[in-house]
Amino acid sequence: MSVENVIRSVIEKNPGEREFHQAVREVLESIEPVMKKHPEFEKAKILDRIVVPEREIYFRVVWEDDRGEIQVNNGMRIQFNSAIGPYKGGLRFHPSVYRGIIKFLGFEQIFKNALTTLPMGGGKGGSDFDPKGKSDAEVRRFCVSFMNELYRHIGPNTDVPAGDIGVGGREIGYLYGQYRRITNRFESVLTGKGMNWGGSLVRPEATGYGAVYFTEEMLKTKKETIKGKTVAVSGSGNVAQYAVQKANQLGAKVVTLSDSNGTVYDPDGISGTKWDFVMDLKNVKRGRISEYADKFGVDYCEGERPWKFECEIALPCATQNEISAKDAKMLIDNGVIAVAEGANMPTEPGGVDLFIENGVLFGPGKAANAGGVATSGLEMCQNHIGMSWSFEETDRHLHNIMVNIHKQAAAAAEKYGHKGNYVIGANIAGFLKIANAMLDQGQS
Ligand code: NDP
């Protein structure tokens, strides 16, 4: 089938799954030149196969809230592609979770994981459970129930989930505890674990740090650095927090943070004790970003995103489709020179086109935020050899991986006639690795 026909068939067979359609279209359209050069992929129906998950698991999660009332949520794990390694990808707990979101994330994960050069296939999972406003005991009861079903589908050489939106260290702890209890095995079945029970240093920092390392690599191609630049960051969760820390360490000034209620704008920069405040607010008190504005007397824009504020670098680190074409235009008019996606698919297709047409350095999520899963891969590696690396050593590995991902994406873009287009470059480099592995392994 031609690229257009495969996209049409995905839309027909997966009705209503808008985000999945969007992710498939983005990848497939950009690999058209590869398909022309490789008739063997067409003959083996690689495209028809790659858009269908190897396995989809849906289950019911029943748990009891603090008032003794029974609650029911959905649970799912989509095991998309294991051609180059065990399924690997996060779990998302958010009320918006449904098939289309987990499938888009699982599909993206295939190519992202391939770019890291580590042996990891693509998968993703989650639930429409909302940890916000729940007590620790409720979150624990939910996680126990979720794992009571998930445990039979995962394993250190089968599928190794990690965190994502709504799933941080607390949730990974409860999930891991239940896995260990049921199976009587202490093994590398989740990543993002606590430091004294198999976790890796740098894993919490990895996605945010990696996005900034990727930004540095893009800037180098224009003989620029992040030092002295003004940066707008969206979100205030795990990825945003460490993107801010690394940007500060490299001499930039971060002026925004947000959550699903609004944006704070601090023209003096979110660093030092202000950054400490955010860490405590979001990870300990689990409060709202508006409290930052109350505390430091800065502007808070209810219901708004950060993109109207002047910046040279934008790091969207919250969620999918958070930069529209209109937002992209505002950023460009205000002088943005680089955008790196800490989140998955935060830029709508119209926004991506505008950035690229206007020569903005644009790092797509599957390249720019691959540092998280790469460090999960490093966590698995340390678990397998029974050792832990120092912060410096792990960070050095992460940095090298990000430099290498940039190199691969840039080289593929240039080879296929789209110099400087990291969207096309990342898609092609990731796809080639997977397609060749699928070809080698016959009709799987
Ligand atoms: P967290 O749950 O720690 O933080 C998510 C942040 O995004 C919060 O500030 C949250 O605000 C905000 N947010 C969530 N949904 C929405 C929404 N619909 N509209 C506006 N803001 C929203 O998640 P992470 O930081 O881990 O993940 C952020 C992004 O990075 C996601 O796209 C994820 O897939 C991606 N990613 C994460 C990796 C990781 O290692 N954690 C790895 C690679 C990608 P609120 O508190 O109000 O919900």
Side-chain angles (χ1 to χ4, degrees):
M1 260 199 269
S2 70
V3 161
E4 206 34 60
N5 284 343
V6 176
I7 296 172
R8 203 168 308 130
S9 146
V10 165
I11 294 171
E12 262 170 40
K13 290 186 179 158
N14 303 273
E17 298 178 6
R18 194 173 63 85
E19 297 83 359
F20 180 47
H21 305 164
Q22 184 182 335
V24 167
R25 179 178 290 284
E26 192 236 83
V27 171
L28 264 51
E29 284 182 349
S30 60
I31 55 165
E32 262 189 301
V34 178
M35 296 306 288
K36 289 203 180 99
K37 265 200 178 168
H38 292 272
E40 70 276 20
F41 292 159
E42 167 98 47
K43 188 156 180 282
K45 296 222 160 60
I46 296 292
L47 287 192
D48 307 58
R49 284 151 64 179
I50 212 166
V51 296
V52 181
E54 288 173 9
R55 191 173 301 106
E56 297 183 48
I57 299 146
Y58 293 92
F59 50 97
R60 182 174 69 200
V61 188
V62 182
W63 57 282
E64 195 178 333
D65 69 18
D66 286 345
R67 293 166 306 169
E69 242 177 71
I70 299 295
Q71 301 288 339
V72 186
N73 285 98
N74 65 26
M76 59 193 82
R77 184 75 184 162
I78 307 224
Q79 299 179 330
F80 225 117
N81 193 302
S82 60
I84 62 164
Y87 308 106
K88 182 91 198 85
L91 296 170
R92 177 176 291 192
F93 293 169
H94 192 271
S96 63
V97 163
Y98 79 109
R99 236 171 214 242
I101 287 201
I102 299 301
K103 263 190 190 147
F104 117 65
L105 291 164
F107 184 70
E108 288 276 298
Q109 199 81 46
I110 306 171
F111 308 100
K112 180 191 308 194
N113 293 4
L115 283 171
T116 66
T117 71
L118 301 174
M120 300 183 290
K124 200 85 189 187
S127 170
D128 62 358
F129 172 75
D130 187 358
K132 245 186 274 147
K134 303 287 188 303
S135 69
D136 283 356
E138 288 176 322
V139 171
R140 178 173 43 75
R141 286 195 291 273
F142 173 81
C143 289
V144 164
S145 180
F146 188 86
M147 188 51 86
N148 281 345
E149 175 58 35
L150 186 69
Y151 87 95
R152 67 189 91 239
H153 308 290
I154 59 177
N157 297 309
T158 310
D159 185 351
V160 185
D164 189 78
I165 291 179
V167 180
R170 173 183 60 170
E171 290 75 16
I172 293 290
Y174 294 148
L175 290 163
Y176 191 72
Q178 185 61 4
Y179 178 86
R180 193 170 51 72
R181 218 167 292 141
I182 305 173
T183 61
N184 197 26
R185 284 198 298 270
F186 189 98
E187 54 193 10
S188 186
V189 75
L190 290 169
T191 56
K193 299 188 288 297
M195 289 320 152
N196 49 8
W197 43 277
S200 172
L201 288 166
V202 194
R203 179 61 190 91
E205 292 86 351
T207 310
Y209 277 23
V212 175
Y213 293 151
F214 194 88
T215 306
E216 278 280 74
E217 291 308 299
M218 292 197 298
L219 289 169
K220 270 189 204 162
T221 67
K222 303 272 182 213
K223 304 207 172 359
E224 286 275 6
T225 79
I226 198 169
K227 192 166 180 203
K229 302 280 188 303
T230 301
V231 182
V233 173
S234 67
S236 47
N238 172 263
V239 180
Q241 291 161 11
Y242 289 102
V244 173
Q245 187 184 52
K246 183 50 72 179
N248 283 331
Q249 285 171 1
L250 296 178
K253 183 169 74 166
V254 179
V255 293
T256 65
L257 277 175
S258 68
D259 61 21
S260 47
N261 295 103
T263 293
V264 290
Y265 174 64
D266 185 344
D268 294 334
I270 301 165
S271 62
T273 51
K274 290 176 166 177
W275 183 80
D276 297 341
F277 175 85
V278 173
M279 295 302 280
D280 183 60
L281 176 70
K282 285 293 172 181
N283 305 327
V284 182
K285 301 205 173 74
R286 300 186 189 273
R288 311 307 301 156
I289 201 65
S290 58
E291 293 167 51
Y292 178 100
D294 300 340
K295 167 90 180 163
F296 298 110
V298 300
D299 284 349
Y300 173 65
C301 310
E302 176 85 32
E304 289 192 49
R305 297 165 178 160
W307 316 126
K308 66 177 185 186
F309 295 107
E310 236 170 73
C311 64
E312 290 142 304
I313 293 167
L315 302 176
C317 297
T319 193
Q320 64 278 353
N321 293 328
E322 53 163 324
I323 300 186
S324 64
K326 200 167 143 227
D327 295 326
K329 176 142 193 337
M330 249 180 326
L331 282 163
I332 293 164
D333 290 346
N334 281 333
V336 80
I337 58 168
V339 178
E341 295 187 325
N344 283 310
M345 210 168 74
T347 316
E348 290 180 3
V352 176
D353 292 345
L354 276 178
F355 287 138
I356 290 171
E357 280 159 30
N358 285 276
V360 174
L361 296 164
F362 179 75
K366 63 173 79 63
N369 71 34
V373 72
T375 309
S376 278
L378 300 178
E379 181 173 331
M380 289 163 74
C381 182
Q382 292 168 80
N383 293 162
H384 290 312
I385 60 173
M387 283 177 69
S388 323
W389 300 331
S390 68
F391 191 96
E392 290 69 28
E393 182 172 5
T394 317
D395 191 34
R396 200 165 49 243
H397 281 300
L398 167 66
H399 188 255
N400 286 341
I401 289 171
M402 296 315 296
V403 170
N404 192 267
I405 290 174
H406 177 270
K407 220 183 262 170
Q408 288 180 66
E414 187 162 1
K415 179 168 176 194
Y416 285 89
H418 294 272
K419 190 165 185 231
N421 185 327
Y422 296 101
V423 175
I424 292 184
N427 285 337
I428 290 180
F431 174 77
L432 278 171
K433 190 167 172 192
I434 300 295
N436 281 315
M438 289 171 74
L439 211 56
D440 291 346
Q441 293 173 33
Q443 292 166 9
S444 59

